[in-house]
Amino acid sequence: MTEAYPLHWPEGKPRTARRERARFDTTHEIAQLALMDELRRMGATHPVLSTDIPVRGDGLPYARHRAPDDPGVAVYFMYKGNQVCFACDRWDRVRDNIQAVRKTIEALRGIARWGTGDMVEAAFKGFEALPAPGKAVSAVWWRVLGVSESATKNEIIAAYREKAKTSHPDVAGGSDSAMAELNNARAEGLRVASR
């Protein structure tokens, strides 16, 4: 997964050149809480909402922070064993882009409820998060983490935490690409260990 701040826009997704004002009637906090609720209802796990608004320890934005220059949002989460990302920067306010992602997920949940769930699975294939730039799609997860192929969930998590101490971009020697590779390895390892 990725960090909530600063904005981690998905690699390869084009940006909107000219943004519009949306007609959503919401606040940042309400939009964010409603988005997390939609993700929970859908069965998504490990959600991270990434924006250019600094967040408090509880994951909510600081109340008095000025509107960022970049209103884009990207929500990363795990869905049926795959890392998925929905991103939006069509609107000129962060809260409206969050609301747009929430509405999209709500619509996909509706499709699943109405009996055409195979369409939802096909739609989600287009939102699978891409690997970090310059990294192989199928990096061997257990080598990245330094564990055996038969590692338990606890071993995977412990190895991830240890490696994150040196891979995180906020520490000397760390980088976004190293952390992305480590995150991908953890997600794949946990998926395999869950079988």
Side-chain angles (χ1 to χ4, degrees):
M1 294 296 177
T2 190
E3 298 293 321
Y5 173 81
L7 173 63
H8 182 80
W9 191 257
E11 188 72 28
K13 179 165 176 57
R15 301 301 305 261
T16 300
R18 185 177 167 153
R19 296 182 176 101
E20 304 171 46
R21 178 59 53 110
R23 294 189 178 150
F24 298 126
D25 184 22
T26 189
T27 66
H28 184 109
E29 184 177 12
I30 289 171
Q32 182 172 341
L33 292 172
L35 170 62
M36 294 303 158
D37 193 44
E38 286 296 332
L39 290 168
R40 180 191 56 76
R41 289 178 180 161
M42 185 179 65
T45 61
H46 304 92
V48 175
L49 176 61
S50 184
T51 71
D52 270 344
I53 297 177
V55 294
R56 308 179 311 210
D58 62 1
L60 292 175
Y62 283 106
R64 301 204 190 294
H65 190 270
R66 70 169 185 81
D69 294 332
D70 185 347
V73 305
V75 61
Y76 293 83
F77 55 93
M78 296 299 292
Y79 181 71
K80 295 191 175 182
N82 296 308
Q83 185 181 24
V84 179
C85 178
F86 280 67
C88 183
D89 68 344
R90 177 178 176 186
W91 310 109
D92 64 356
R93 294 183 296 199
V94 171
R95 67 183 184 218
D96 294 328
N97 286 314
I98 294 171
Q99 184 73 340
V101 171
R102 183 193 76 80
K103 293 277 193 186
T104 301
I105 291 171
E106 179 183 44
L108 287 170
R109 283 186 53 247
I111 291 169
R113 283 191 312 270
W114 301 321
T116 54
D118 56 330
M119 294 170 80
V120 173
E121 298 301 317
F124 269 101
K125 288 294 180 194
F127 291 104
E128 287 185 7
L130 299 173
K135 297 296 176 185
V137 172
S138 58
V140 182
W141 67 268
W142 66 87
R143 287 188 185 142
V144 172
L145 292 170
V147 298
S148 73
E149 290 180 65
S150 59
T152 66
K153 287 183 182 182
N154 288 340
E155 291 170 326
I156 291 167
I157 292 168
Y160 169 82
R161 288 181 179 157
E162 192 59 34
K163 296 255 183 199
K165 292 176 184 177
T166 57
S167 298
H168 197 279
D170 290 345
V171 298
S175 68
D176 287 335
S177 61
M179 197 64 199
E181 180 179 52
L182 187 60
N183 286 333
N184 289 337
R186 177 190 59 181
E188 179 65 14
L190 291 174
R191 186 185 65 76
V192 169
S194 294
R195 289 185 198 160

